[in-house]
Amino acid sequence: MGFFRGLLAPFRGAYFVAHQKLWGHLVAPLLVNLALGVTTLIVAGRYMKQELDPTFAGAPIFGSITLAFLSVLGGVLLFILLQPILSAVFCDRLAEAVEKRVRETAPRAPFLTSVGKALLHGLLKLFLYALAIGLGLGLTAVLTGIGTLVAVGIGAIFLAYDGFDYPLARRDATFGQKWAYLAKHPALALGFGLGSYFVYLIPLAFLVAPPFAAAGATLAFLDDETRANRAREAKAAKAGAAPAPLVEGAHSN
């Protein structure tokens, strides 16, 4: 059940945004992602043209096709790497608004602490992204097809991290605690990552996929937190002790 809840979560996030009329939260990330998408395609295209022109000087048609393909691929990779950092603030505001619509309140870490931690975690994530891409490309060169599957699997995990990062960060979770949460919910994380892939594959959906995914991850997290808290309350009632929060260090408004 966790896998299918995760798989449907990004689409559930899109429906929630539409149903709750939270369209205003999409304007800024849409513009940022559009500008980023155009910029990354231009940068990747210029770099690939410089690298490929000498190689395909005698075959202009094949060279143009190869240039277009590699430019789009390079642009997509750059977009995936940079998007979480540039649109994180806007996606976080949407995720917070979703949580407030569901529970009428949402935890929030101190602003400066939150920004500093987000930048640090973003840099760590970029490093891991680079390792994942390198691993996938390396395996593809050695074992045709295997590297692609590995890259898709690793990419799904990172997309899950991007989504669940928002509710976990508001609960002041550390970098390790965020990954620990995904490790404790592998089916949910993998399903969510694959569901996010499907949203990205819809034409032009990449412009709004990150906020939809953030909203969906927030809803899935709240469902899981509610179930966990109920289980803790039942256990605490039997033991005569107060239940502990799902993630330590939460701050509430």
Side-chain angles (χ1 to χ4, degrees), residues 57-151:
I61 296 178
F62 181 73
S64 297
I65 296 173
T66 304
L67 173 63
F69 174 77
L70 293 180
S71 296
V72 171
L73 179 60
V76 169
L77 290 176
L78 284 174
F79 180 86
I80 292 175
L81 286 172
L82 297 175
Q83 174 274 320
I85 294 179
L86 296 181
S87 64
V89 174
F90 310 112
C91 290
D92 182 60
R93 295 285 77 80
L94 172 60
E96 183 180 346
V98 168
E99 188 161 350
K100 286 182 177 179
R101 291 292 177 92
V102 174
R103 294 186 173 175
E104 299 183 354
T105 185
R108 177 186 289 180
F111 178 75
L112 292 179
T113 301
S114 177
V115 171
K117 184 179 291 186
L119 290 175
L120 175 60
H121 291 186
L123 291 175
L124 289 172
K125 188 168 57 178
L126 279 178
F127 175 72
L128 292 176
Y129 271 1
L131 288 179
I133 292 172
L135 176 62
L137 293 176
L139 289 175
T140 298
V142 178
L143 302 170
T144 304
I146 300 298
T148 301
L149 293 176
V150 172

Side-chain angles (χ1 to χ4, degrees), residues 113-239:
T113 301
S114 177
V115 171
K117 184 179 291 186
L119 290 175
L120 175 60
H121 291 186
L123 291 175
L124 289 172
K125 188 168 57 178
L126 279 178
F127 175 72
L128 292 176
Y129 271 1
L131 288 179
I133 292 172
L135 176 62
L137 293 176
L139 289 175
T140 298
V142 178
L143 302 170
T144 304
I146 300 298
T148 301
L149 293 176
V150 172
V152 168
I154 294 176
I157 293 172
F158 283 124
L159 286 174
Y161 177 92
D162 285 339
F164 287 97
D165 183 27
Y166 298 108
L168 289 168
R170 281 196 302 279
R171 286 155 177 81
D172 204 23
T174 65
F175 190 69
Q177 287 174 330
K178 294 174 183 178
W179 285 108
Y181 178 83
L182 297 183
K184 289 169 63 177
H185 304 81
L188 178 66
L190 181 59
F192 179 86
L194 294 177
S196 297
Y197 264 133
F198 292 147
V199 177
Y200 273 95
L201 290 175
I202 300 173
L204 298 180
F206 74 93
L207 296 174
V208 290
F212 284 164
T218 299
L219 293 171
F221 178 87
L222 294 177
D223 289 344
D224 181 65
E225 187 179 58
T226 298
R227 281 190 294 270
N229 284 340
R230 286 175 179 172
R232 287 188 182 89
E233 288 172 359
K235 185 176 180 180
K238 293 181 180 179

